[in-house]
Amino acid sequence: MQVINNIHEHSSHIEVIKDGSIVTPIGFKAAGVHAGLRYNKKDIGAIISEVPANCAAVYTTSHFQAAPLKVTQESIAKEKQIQAVVVNSACANACTGEKGLKDAYQMRKIMADYLQIKEEYVAVSSTGVIGEYLQMDKIEKGINNFIFDATLKNAEAFQEAILTTDTVMKKCCYAASINGVTVTMGGTAKGSGMIHPNMATMLGFITTDVNISSEVLQSALSKVIPTTFNQITVDGDTSTNDTVLVMANGMAKNEALTEDHPDYPIFLELLSTTCESLAKQIAKDGEGATKLIEVKVSGSNNDEEARVIAKQIVGSNLVKTAIYGSDANWGRIITAIGQTKTAVNPARVDIAIGDIIMLKESEPQSFSEQAAIDYLNQDFIQIFVDLHNGDGQGKAWGCDLSYDYVKINASYRT
Amino acid sequence: MQVINNIHEHSSHIEVIKDGSIVTPIGFKAAGVHAGLRYNKKDIGAIISEVPANCAAVYTTSHFQAAPLKVTQESIAKEKQIQAVVVNSACANACTGEKGLKDAYQMRKIMADYLQIKEEYVAVSSTGVIGEYLQMDKIEKGINNFIFDATLKNAEAFQEAILTTDTVMKKCCYAASINGVTVTMGGTAKGSGMIHPNMATMLGFITTDVNISSEVLQSALSKVIPTTFNQITVDGDTSTNDTVLVMANGMAKNEALTEDHPDYPIFLELLSTTCESLAKQIAKDGEGATKLIEVKVSGSNNDEEARVIAKQIVGSNLVKTAIYGSDANWGRIITAIGQTKTAVNPARVDIAIGDIIMLKESEPQSFSEQAAIDYLNQDFIQIFVDLHNGDGQGKAWGCDLSYDYVKINASYRT
């Protein structure tokens, strides 16, 4: 089956920085403290840059964008640069009407005053329960307790402060050579599922010292989001607070990157690698998840259709429960493909789970049930689909659906 | 909240026939036997009409239509009438290639020979595991053991024969007066969820003695499907075998119905009532379900958008788990609405669970948590959404997501 090997992985241009973080790129610092929004966990944090950073961001497409998203969009629109982002967990400040919007502005002002910078240099972000108001006294106290530095300890304090039902911190750090200059990119994220209407949110924060304009950065981010963050799903819904924010402060002093620059593709790959790493960490830490599922589709009409099919498969409750139960139930994969609005030749489909081929040219193949169970008992499961219909390729990531998913979600709010 | 009362329910035109079934309309008989496809449950059945019946059918939109659907479509296309439908459970005869198609034709021939009617008067239908072949010797033996009559016992034998993971039989029977003549309609269905990629299928069979052409019947069926069967969901996937088949044998001898006939709206309502009843019975018997959920949306741009929103809410894993846990988590309802591609004014949304209003003009309302828990502990839950945006209305039905759902689906095939 062609697809098993032909989707390229990261090239040798990208170097992994072990123990790197959001404060590894030159000029970034972080902090995270316990302000009392949650019982016994850090709940507010911030990342700052020594100089105003160019930036790019993408937001939820939900009709109900939360208040902090409106304030952050306004900040970025005003100066096209930001110098700080402050984030609280426990309360999403979503569906909170006029008062919620006022609170988000106030949170931005407190942070700007504390740093003595322009309000418009501050982005704000919130995650937690929908429909409750921010406790502004605690937000203020928390911000005033920030002590910023560039240690791993402080990066981890920030990483922890943004978590909700997550069981692990998500982070990565990579470097690449741009025009002979080493540029570094660090990232962190939260989200124990793409969609947590009540815990509301997938958040991603990426820092880099690359020299790149906000416009080129936004274009690059928009290019990589469809194949990375938008390709994970835990429960099929889109939160009111989803945000991915990239800050590029230029302190690596490389020649400014443009889309025509010969090393722009390397930067795209650096950004894509960072986003994909964070996205997979979120999928793996999906609520109740015991396994990370990766679906690779090839042979579709085009890349977009491949991604649609891959996401449909990885989002199917029946596929997710089958994988939880280590059941090589390829009929459920067929069903997920079958209902997509894509071009599919029903007589020419190949399906493999791991390297075990189960369907070839739409004819069932005999396979060892025991080998399939052994493979499915692992915690990283790959599903391959080849449609023999074109050159389109795409990937998506998700997790299995377990008893714990039901347990977590049947009783979260009360 | 306007919507709580303003979606009309069935009118007084429709009479419920208690203990009625698919054999209550004049001229229909049924049978169901154990052929050994399943261990200890009836597994093949048929409905026959005394005379060839006009008919209408709708099928899955999956790319992977199973073999029996192709054969049934060919039968109906040929004569525009059928006199019998034969259905097996245990094996879906889907993704079975050339051999599967040959088997479906053979099943049709065996039934036609047994009844001594034209092959094209026979529809065939299968439900069960995908990717396995029909055991044709058992199919043949089963058909040859059919003894047809119009008793409730035989109707129930058919109802049982078509079940898979269902825990109860689904059936209904209604009558209405068309031009002074009483016409009767009986229905049965199977499906423990809209989507069972492996148990493959939602099947519905409806009999009626009304006099109506196949063309008008098809048009009527196509009209009511979007608001009935297509508005239920258990796990968000569409099976390879979904079929709803209506047989109208004309034996009530009413003046033939046309779309211009003054009593055509009554017939539409009779058909819609039958389809909605069966659809709700399927949703209620969803795998692992403990509660039936009904979502009513009003104030949308148009009826179609109302249905999209209602189905998105009822299909959300997070809404389903919250209702399983009796958690009045309206933030999850907002999230489901938020991600639909419909016109929504985010500042003007009302949400109620039962008669407890939780959101009004998008401002959170205080409510008694205990009253909400008491309401949610019942087994029929209604959610009302008013968008204050237009006159569109729509309903959808589903069920909660429980530990048993995971249990059933993590281990079905093996």
Side-chain angles (χ1 to χ4, degrees), chain A residues 338-369:
Chain A
Q339 72 170 351
T340 58
K341 289 180 174 48
T342 58
V344 171
N345 179 345
R348 297 214 53 199
V349 178
D350 296 354
I351 293 175
I353 297 180
D355 59 4
I356 306 168
I357 296 175
M358 304 200 170
L359 194 70
K360 190 144 188 67
E361 300 270 331
S362 293
E363 292 282 349
Q365 306 294 302
S366 66
F367 60 88
S368 155
E369 286 282 354

PDB file of all heavy atoms in Angstrom, chain A residues 338-369:
ATOM      1  N   GLY A 338     -17.344   6.752   3.815  1.00  0.00           N
ATOM      2  CA  GLY A 338     -18.531   6.719   2.956  1.00  0.00           C
ATOM      3  C   GLY A 338     -19.408   7.934   3.056  1.00  0.00           C
ATOM      4  O   GLY A 338     -20.063   8.326   2.094  1.00  0.00           O
ATOM      5  N   GLN A 339     -19.418   8.547   4.240  1.00  0.00           N
ATOM      6  CA  GLN A 339     -20.356   9.651   4.395  1.00  0.00           C
ATOM      7  C   GLN A 339     -19.758  11.022   4.117  1.00  0.00           C
ATOM      8  O   GLN A 339     -20.456  12.022   4.243  1.00  0.00           O
ATOM      9  CB  GLN A 339     -20.971   9.615   5.777  1.00  0.00           C
ATOM     10  CG  GLN A 339     -20.047  10.004   6.872  1.00  0.00           C
ATOM     11  CD  GLN A 339     -20.824  10.177   8.172  1.00  0.00           C
ATOM     12  OE1 GLN A 339     -22.035  10.158   8.179  1.00  0.00           O
ATOM     13  NE2 GLN A 339     -20.120  10.342   9.248  1.00  0.00           N
ATOM     14  N   THR A 340     -18.479  11.073   3.752  1.00  0.00           N
ATOM     15  CA  THR A 340     -17.892  12.382   3.442  1.00  0.00           C
ATOM     16  C   THR A 340     -18.360  12.859   2.068  1.00  0.00           C
ATOM     17  O   THR A 340     -18.648  12.049   1.195  1.00  0.00           O
ATOM     18  CB  THR A 340     -16.352  12.322   3.423  1.00  0.00           C
ATOM     19  OG1 THR A 340     -15.953  11.346   2.452  1.00  0.00           O
ATOM     20  CG2 THR A 340     -15.805  11.938   4.786  1.00  0.00           C
ATOM     21  N   LYS A 341     -18.420  14.170   1.914  1.00  0.00           N
ATOM     22  CA  LYS A 341     -18.783  14.743   0.620  1.00  0.00           C
ATOM     23  C   LYS A 341     -17.504  14.940  -0.194  1.00  0.00           C
ATOM     24  O   LYS A 341     -17.058  16.043  -0.429  1.00  0.00           O
ATOM     25  CB  LYS A 341     -19.525  16.066   0.820  1.00  0.00           C
ATOM     26  CG  LYS A 341     -20.920  15.847   1.382  1.00  0.00           C
ATOM     27  CD  LYS A 341     -21.665  17.158   1.571  1.00  0.00           C
ATOM     28  CE  LYS A 341     -23.102  16.912   2.003  1.00  0.00           C
ATOM     29  NZ  LYS A 341     -23.252  15.941   3.118  1.00  0.00           N
ATOM     30  N   THR A 342     -16.885  13.833  -0.562  1.00  0.00           N
ATOM     31  CA  THR A 342     -15.649  13.885  -1.339  1.00  0.00           C
ATOM     32  C   THR A 342     -15.794  12.902  -2.485  1.00  0.00           C
ATOM     33  O   THR A 342     -16.726  12.103  -2.511  1.00  0.00           O
ATOM     34  CB  THR A 342     -14.448  13.441  -0.478  1.00  0.00           C
ATOM     35  OG1 THR A 342     -14.706  12.102  -0.005  1.00  0.00           O
ATOM     36  CG2 THR A 342     -14.225  14.360   0.709  1.00  0.00           C
ATOM     37  N   ALA A 343     -14.843  12.958  -3.417  1.00  0.00           N
ATOM     38  CA  ALA A 343     -14.882  12.010  -4.535  1.00  0.00           C
ATOM     39  C   ALA A 343     -14.251  10.698  -4.084  1.00  0.00           C
ATOM     40  O   ALA A 343     -13.072  10.655  -3.753  1.00  0.00           O
ATOM     41  CB  ALA A 343     -14.120  12.585  -5.723  1.00  0.00           C
ATOM     42  N   VAL A 344     -15.050   9.655  -4.038  1.00  0.00           N
ATOM     43  CA  VAL A 344     -14.539   8.345  -3.635  1.00  0.00           C
ATOM     44  C   VAL A 344     -15.016   7.315  -4.647  1.00  0.00           C
ATOM     45  O   VAL A 344     -16.191   7.283  -4.994  1.00  0.00           O
ATOM     46  CB  VAL A 344     -15.056   7.960  -2.224  1.00  0.00           C
ATOM     47  CG1 VAL A 344     -14.697   6.510  -1.905  1.00  0.00           C
ATOM     48  CG2 VAL A 344     -14.482   8.892  -1.167  1.00  0.00           C
ATOM     49  N   ASN A 345     -14.104   6.506  -5.139  1.00  0.00           N
ATOM     50  CA  ASN A 345     -14.500   5.377  -5.971  1.00  0.00           C
ATOM     51  C   ASN A 345     -14.670   4.180  -5.039  1.00  0.00           C
ATOM     52  O   ASN A 345     -13.684   3.643  -4.531  1.00  0.00           O
ATOM     53  CB  ASN A 345     -13.415   5.102  -7.018  1.00  0.00           C
ATOM     54  CG  ASN A 345     -13.772   3.914  -7.884  1.00  0.00           C
ATOM     55  OD1 ASN A 345     -14.676   3.129  -7.546  1.00  0.00           O
ATOM     56  ND2 ASN A 345     -13.077   3.767  -8.990  1.00  0.00           N
ATOM     57  N   PRO A 346     -15.930   3.778  -4.812  1.00  0.00           N
ATOM     58  CA  PRO A 346     -16.177   2.751  -3.782  1.00  0.00           C
ATOM     59  C   PRO A 346     -15.558   1.396  -4.126  1.00  0.00           C
ATOM     60  O   PRO A 346     -15.509   0.520  -3.264  1.00  0.00           O
ATOM     61  CB  PRO A 346     -17.701   2.668  -3.714  1.00  0.00           C
ATOM     62  CG  PRO A 346     -18.202   3.292  -4.954  1.00  0.00           C
ATOM     63  CD  PRO A 346     -17.172   4.277  -5.414  1.00  0.00           C
ATOM     64  N   ALA A 347     -15.078   1.219  -5.309  1.00  0.00           N
ATOM     65  CA  ALA A 347     -14.512  -0.081  -5.690  1.00  0.00           C
ATOM     66  C   ALA A 347     -12.991  -0.122  -5.559  1.00  0.00           C
ATOM     67  O   ALA A 347     -12.367  -1.133  -5.849  1.00  0.00           O
ATOM     68  CB  ALA A 347     -14.912  -0.414  -7.132  1.00  0.00           C
ATOM     69  N   ARG A 348     -12.356   0.991  -5.114  1.00  0.00           N
ATOM     70  CA  ARG A 348     -10.894   1.029  -5.184  1.00  0.00           C
ATOM     71  C   ARG A 348     -10.229   1.476  -3.892  1.00  0.00           C
ATOM     72  O   ARG A 348      -9.210   2.166  -3.899  1.00  0.00           O
ATOM     73  CB  ARG A 348     -10.461   1.957  -6.330  1.00  0.00           C
ATOM     74  CG  ARG A 348     -10.911   1.465  -7.705  1.00  0.00           C
ATOM     75  CD  ARG A 348      -9.895   1.825  -8.756  1.00  0.00           C
ATOM     76  NE  ARG A 348      -8.545   1.377  -8.423  1.00  0.00           N
ATOM     77  CZ  ARG A 348      -7.439   1.860  -8.977  1.00  0.00           C
ATOM     78  NH1 ARG A 348      -7.523   2.836  -9.858  1.00  0.00           N
ATOM     79  NH2 ARG A 348      -6.243   1.406  -8.643  1.00  0.00           N
ATOM     80  N   VAL A 349     -10.794   1.116  -2.766  1.00  0.00           N
ATOM     81  CA  VAL A 349     -10.260   1.617  -1.507  1.00  0.00           C
ATOM     82  C   VAL A 349      -9.365   0.583  -0.814  1.00  0.00           C
ATOM     83  O   VAL A 349      -9.706  -0.591  -0.740  1.00  0.00           O
ATOM     84  CB  VAL A 349     -11.417   2.017  -0.563  1.00  0.00           C
ATOM     85  CG1 VAL A 349     -10.887   2.506   0.776  1.00  0.00           C
ATOM     86  CG2 VAL A 349     -12.277   3.090  -1.223  1.00  0.00           C
ATOM     87  N   ASP A 350      -8.204   1.039  -0.342  1.00  0.00           N
ATOM     88  CA  ASP A 350      -7.322   0.213   0.501  1.00  0.00           C
ATOM     89  C   ASP A 350      -7.390   0.748   1.928  1.00  0.00           C
ATOM     90  O   ASP A 350      -7.388   1.960   2.138  1.00  0.00           O
ATOM     91  CB  ASP A 350      -5.849   0.336   0.077  1.00  0.00           C
ATOM     92  CG  ASP A 350      -5.589  -0.186  -1.321  1.00  0.00           C
ATOM     93  OD1 ASP A 350      -6.507  -0.749  -1.930  1.00  0.00           O
ATOM     94  OD2 ASP A 350      -4.448   0.010  -1.792  1.00  0.00           O
ATOM     95  N   ILE A 351      -7.407  -0.146   2.899  1.00  0.00           N
ATOM     96  CA  ILE A 351      -7.329   0.250   4.302  1.00  0.00           C
ATOM     97  C   ILE A 351      -6.309  -0.635   5.008  1.00  0.00           C
ATOM     98  O   ILE A 351      -6.318  -1.858   4.841  1.00  0.00           O
ATOM     99  CB  ILE A 351      -8.695   0.113   5.012  1.00  0.00           C
ATOM    100  CG1 ILE A 351      -9.693   1.127   4.454  1.00  0.00           C
ATOM    101  CG2 ILE A 351      -8.547   0.307   6.528  1.00  0.00           C
ATOM    102  CD1 ILE A 351     -11.092   0.984   5.018  1.00  0.00           C
ATOM    103  N   ALA A 352      -5.422  -0.002   5.790  1.00  0.00           N
ATOM    104  CA  ALA A 352      -4.512  -0.760   6.651  1.00  0.00           C
ATOM    105  C   ALA A 352      -4.542  -0.156   8.042  1.00  0.00           C
ATOM    106  O   ALA A 352      -4.711   1.052   8.202  1.00  0.00           O
ATOM    107  CB  ALA A 352      -3.092  -0.735   6.092  1.00  0.00           C
ATOM    108  N   ILE A 353      -4.411  -1.016   9.045  1.00  0.00           N
ATOM    109  CA  ILE A 353      -4.222  -0.544  10.418  1.00  0.00           C
ATOM    110  C   ILE A 353      -2.818  -0.991  10.794  1.00  0.00           C
ATOM    111  O   ILE A 353      -2.524  -2.189  10.781  1.00  0.00           O
ATOM    112  CB  ILE A 353      -5.293  -1.117  11.370  1.00  0.00           C
ATOM    113  CG1 ILE A 353      -6.694  -0.623  10.950  1.00  0.00           C
ATOM    114  CG2 ILE A 353      -5.006  -0.712  12.819  1.00  0.00           C
ATOM    115  CD1 ILE A 353      -7.834  -1.127  11.815  1.00  0.00           C
ATOM    116  N   GLY A 354      -1.937  -0.010  11.108  1.00  0.00           N
ATOM    117  CA  GLY A 354      -0.527  -0.336  11.212  1.00  0.00           C
ATOM    118  C   GLY A 354      -0.092  -0.873   9.851  1.00  0.00           C
ATOM    119  O   GLY A 354      -0.476  -0.329   8.817  1.00  0.00           O
ATOM    120  N   ASP A 355       0.670  -1.958   9.816  1.00  0.00           N
ATOM    121  CA  ASP A 355       1.043  -2.497   8.504  1.00  0.00           C
ATOM    122  C   ASP A 355       0.187  -3.713   8.125  1.00  0.00           C
ATOM    123  O   ASP A 355       0.551  -4.483   7.242  1.00  0.00           O
ATOM    124  CB  ASP A 355       2.547  -2.812   8.448  1.00  0.00           C
ATOM    125  CG  ASP A 355       2.944  -3.821   9.512  1.00  0.00           C
ATOM    126  OD1 ASP A 355       2.048  -4.321  10.221  1.00  0.00           O
ATOM    127  OD2 ASP A 355       4.155  -4.117   9.628  1.00  0.00           O
ATOM    128  N   ILE A 356      -0.966  -3.833   8.773  1.00  0.00           N
ATOM    129  CA  ILE A 356      -1.861  -4.956   8.462  1.00  0.00           C
ATOM    130  C   ILE A 356      -2.922  -4.491   7.470  1.00  0.00           C
ATOM    131  O   ILE A 356      -3.789  -3.674   7.791  1.00  0.00           O
ATOM    132  CB  ILE A 356      -2.545  -5.483   9.747  1.00  0.00           C
ATOM    133  CG1 ILE A 356      -1.479  -5.830  10.801  1.00  0.00           C
ATOM    134  CG2 ILE A 356      -3.424  -6.682   9.417  1.00  0.00           C
ATOM    135  CD1 ILE A 356      -2.058  -6.088  12.184  1.00  0.00           C
ATOM    136  N   ILE A 357      -2.850  -5.001   6.255  1.00  0.00           N
ATOM    137  CA  ILE A 357      -3.786  -4.588   5.207  1.00  0.00           C
ATOM    138  C   ILE A 357      -5.112  -5.334   5.376  1.00  0.00           C
ATOM    139  O   ILE A 357      -5.126  -6.563   5.476  1.00  0.00           O
ATOM    140  CB  ILE A 357      -3.174  -4.818   3.809  1.00  0.00           C
ATOM    141  CG1 ILE A 357      -1.936  -3.914   3.664  1.00  0.00           C
ATOM    142  CG2 ILE A 357      -4.192  -4.532   2.711  1.00  0.00           C
ATOM    143  CD1 ILE A 357      -1.152  -4.120   2.397  1.00  0.00           C
ATOM    144  N   MET A 358      -6.216  -4.592   5.449  1.00  0.00           N
ATOM    145  CA  MET A 358      -7.516  -5.206   5.728  1.00  0.00           C
ATOM    146  C   MET A 358      -8.465  -5.147   4.546  1.00  0.00           C
ATOM    147  O   MET A 358      -9.381  -5.948   4.436  1.00  0.00           O
ATOM    148  CB  MET A 358      -8.142  -4.524   6.933  1.00  0.00           C
ATOM    149  CG  MET A 358      -7.198  -4.588   8.125  1.00  0.00           C
ATOM    150  SD  MET A 358      -7.947  -4.346   9.693  1.00  0.00           S
ATOM    151  CE  MET A 358      -6.548  -4.813  10.749  1.00  0.00           C
ATOM    152  N   LEU A 359      -8.256  -4.136   3.682  1.00  0.00           N
ATOM    153  CA  LEU A 359      -9.102  -3.990   2.503  1.00  0.00           C
ATOM    154  C   LEU A 359      -8.185  -3.575   1.361  1.00  0.00           C
ATOM    155  O   LEU A 359      -7.359  -2.680   1.527  1.00  0.00           O
ATOM    156  CB  LEU A 359     -10.155  -2.894   2.761  1.00  0.00           C
ATOM    157  CG  LEU A 359     -11.337  -2.809   1.791  1.00  0.00           C
ATOM    158  CD1 LEU A 359     -12.268  -4.000   1.953  1.00  0.00           C
ATOM    159  CD2 LEU A 359     -12.129  -1.519   2.009  1.00  0.00           C
ATOM    160  N   LYS A 360      -8.324  -4.249   0.233  1.00  0.00           N
ATOM    161  CA  LYS A 360      -7.481  -3.908  -0.910  1.00  0.00           C
ATOM    162  C   LYS A 360      -8.374  -3.824  -2.136  1.00  0.00           C
ATOM    163  O   LYS A 360      -9.086  -4.773  -2.446  1.00  0.00           O
ATOM    164  CB  LYS A 360      -6.392  -4.969  -1.088  1.00  0.00           C
ATOM    165  CG  LYS A 360      -5.337  -4.573  -2.091  1.00  0.00           C
ATOM    166  CD  LYS A 360      -3.935  -5.057  -1.699  1.00  0.00           C
ATOM    167  CE  LYS A 360      -2.880  -4.483  -2.628  1.00  0.00           C
ATOM    168  NZ  LYS A 360      -2.707  -3.022  -2.525  1.00  0.00           N
ATOM    169  N   GLU A 361      -8.369  -2.667  -2.802  1.00  0.00           N
ATOM    170  CA  GLU A 361      -9.266  -2.450  -3.931  1.00  0.00           C
ATOM    171  C   GLU A 361     -10.693  -2.840  -3.538  1.00  0.00           C
ATOM    172  O   GLU A 361     -11.421  -3.471  -4.296  1.00  0.00           O
ATOM    173  CB  GLU A 361      -8.783  -3.244  -5.156  1.00  0.00           C
ATOM    174  CG  GLU A 361      -7.384  -2.855  -5.623  1.00  0.00           C
ATOM    175  CD  GLU A 361      -7.394  -1.728  -6.662  1.00  0.00           C
ATOM    176  OE1 GLU A 361      -8.374  -1.623  -7.406  1.00  0.00           O
ATOM    177  OE2 GLU A 361      -6.427  -0.940  -6.688  1.00  0.00           O
ATOM    178  N   SER A 362     -11.057  -2.481  -2.313  1.00  0.00           N
ATOM    179  CA  SER A 362     -12.399  -2.704  -1.750  1.00  0.00           C
ATOM    180  C   SER A 362     -12.768  -4.173  -1.552  1.00  0.00           C
ATOM    181  O   SER A 362     -13.938  -4.481  -1.320  1.00  0.00           O
ATOM    182  CB  SER A 362     -13.478  -1.986  -2.578  1.00  0.00           C
ATOM    183  OG  SER A 362     -13.315  -0.586  -2.446  1.00  0.00           O
ATOM    184  N   GLU A 363     -11.812  -5.067  -1.647  1.00  0.00           N
ATOM    185  CA  GLU A 363     -12.084  -6.482  -1.335  1.00  0.00           C
ATOM    186  C   GLU A 363     -11.483  -6.786   0.039  1.00  0.00           C
ATOM    187  O   GLU A 363     -10.311  -6.499   0.298  1.00  0.00           O
ATOM    188  CB  GLU A 363     -11.462  -7.417  -2.389  1.00  0.00           C
ATOM    189  CG  GLU A 363     -12.094  -7.338  -3.776  1.00  0.00           C
ATOM    190  CD  GLU A 363     -13.438  -8.082  -3.901  1.00  0.00           C
ATOM    191  OE1 GLU A 363     -13.805  -8.844  -2.974  1.00  0.00           O
ATOM    192  OE2 GLU A 363     -14.125  -7.871  -4.918  1.00  0.00           O
ATOM    193  N   PRO A 364     -12.274  -7.407   0.923  1.00  0.00           N
ATOM    194  CA  PRO A 364     -11.762  -7.753   2.256  1.00  0.00           C
ATOM    195  C   PRO A 364     -10.553  -8.689   2.158  1.00  0.00           C
ATOM    196  O   PRO A 364     -10.541  -9.608   1.339  1.00  0.00           O
ATOM    197  CB  PRO A 364     -12.946  -8.483   2.912  1.00  0.00           C
ATOM    198  CG  PRO A 364     -14.155  -8.089   2.129  1.00  0.00           C
ATOM    199  CD  PRO A 364     -13.692  -7.813   0.743  1.00  0.00           C
ATOM    200  N   GLN A 365      -9.526  -8.436   2.980  1.00  0.00           N
ATOM    201  CA  GLN A 365      -8.329  -9.275   3.010  1.00  0.00           C
ATOM    202  C   GLN A 365      -8.320 -10.068   4.319  1.00  0.00           C
ATOM    203  O   GLN A 365      -8.712  -9.551   5.355  1.00  0.00           O
ATOM    204  CB  GLN A 365      -7.066  -8.405   2.959  1.00  0.00           C
ATOM    205  CG  GLN A 365      -7.014  -7.448   1.799  1.00  0.00           C
ATOM    206  CD  GLN A 365      -6.919  -8.155   0.459  1.00  0.00           C
ATOM    207  OE1 GLN A 365      -5.985  -8.919   0.233  1.00  0.00           O
ATOM    208  NE2 GLN A 365      -7.904  -7.942  -0.396  1.00  0.00           N
ATOM    209  N   SER A 366      -7.873 -11.291   4.256  1.00  0.00           N
ATOM    210  CA  SER A 366      -7.781 -12.031   5.513  1.00  0.00           C
ATOM    211  C   SER A 366      -6.517 -11.587   6.246  1.00  0.00           C
ATOM    212  O   SER A 366      -5.506 -11.236   5.632  1.00  0.00           O
ATOM    213  CB  SER A 366      -7.764 -13.534   5.258  1.00  0.00           C
ATOM    214  OG  SER A 366      -6.584 -13.876   4.588  1.00  0.00           O
ATOM    215  N   PHE A 367      -6.599 -11.520   7.565  1.00  0.00           N
ATOM    216  CA  PHE A 367      -5.448 -11.085   8.361  1.00  0.00           C
ATOM    217  C   PHE A 367      -5.509 -11.776   9.710  1.00  0.00           C
ATOM    218  O   PHE A 367      -6.550 -12.316  10.104  1.00  0.00           O
ATOM    219  CB  PHE A 367      -5.429  -9.559   8.516  1.00  0.00           C
ATOM    220  CG  PHE A 367      -6.657  -9.000   9.187  1.00  0.00           C
ATOM    221  CD1 PHE A 367      -6.726  -8.882  10.578  1.00  0.00           C
ATOM    222  CD2 PHE A 367      -7.761  -8.593   8.441  1.00  0.00           C
ATOM    223  CE1 PHE A 367      -7.865  -8.368  11.201  1.00  0.00           C
ATOM    224  CE2 PHE A 367      -8.906  -8.079   9.065  1.00  0.00           C
ATOM    225  CZ  PHE A 367      -8.950  -7.975  10.446  1.00  0.00           C
ATOM    226  N   SER A 368      -4.393 -11.744  10.421  1.00  0.00           N
ATOM    227  CA  SER A 368      -4.336 -12.382  11.736  1.00  0.00           C
ATOM    228  C   SER A 368      -5.000 -11.483  12.773  1.00  0.00           C
ATOM    229  O   SER A 368      -4.533 -10.375  13.035  1.00  0.00           O
ATOM    230  CB  SER A 368      -2.870 -12.633  12.122  1.00  0.00           C
ATOM    231  OG  SER A 368      -2.756 -12.701  13.540  1.00  0.00           O
ATOM    232  N   GLU A 369      -6.084 -11.967  13.357  1.00  0.00           N
ATOM    233  CA  GLU A 369      -6.777 -11.182  14.393  1.00  0.00           C
ATOM    234  C   GLU A 369      -5.822 -10.908  15.561  1.00  0.00           C
ATOM    235  O   GLU A 369      -5.843  -9.833  16.147  1.00  0.00           O
ATOM    236  CB  GLU A 369      -8.017 -11.928  14.920  1.00  0.00           C
ATOM    237  CG  GLU A 369      -9.186 -11.956  13.970  1.00  0.00           C
ATOM    238  CD  GLU A 369      -9.995 -10.647  13.934  1.00  0.00           C
ATOM    239  OE1 GLU A 369      -9.722  -9.734  14.733  1.00  0.00           O
ATOM    240  OE2 GLU A 369     -10.887 -10.553  13.070  1.00  0.00           O
TER     241      GLU A 369
END
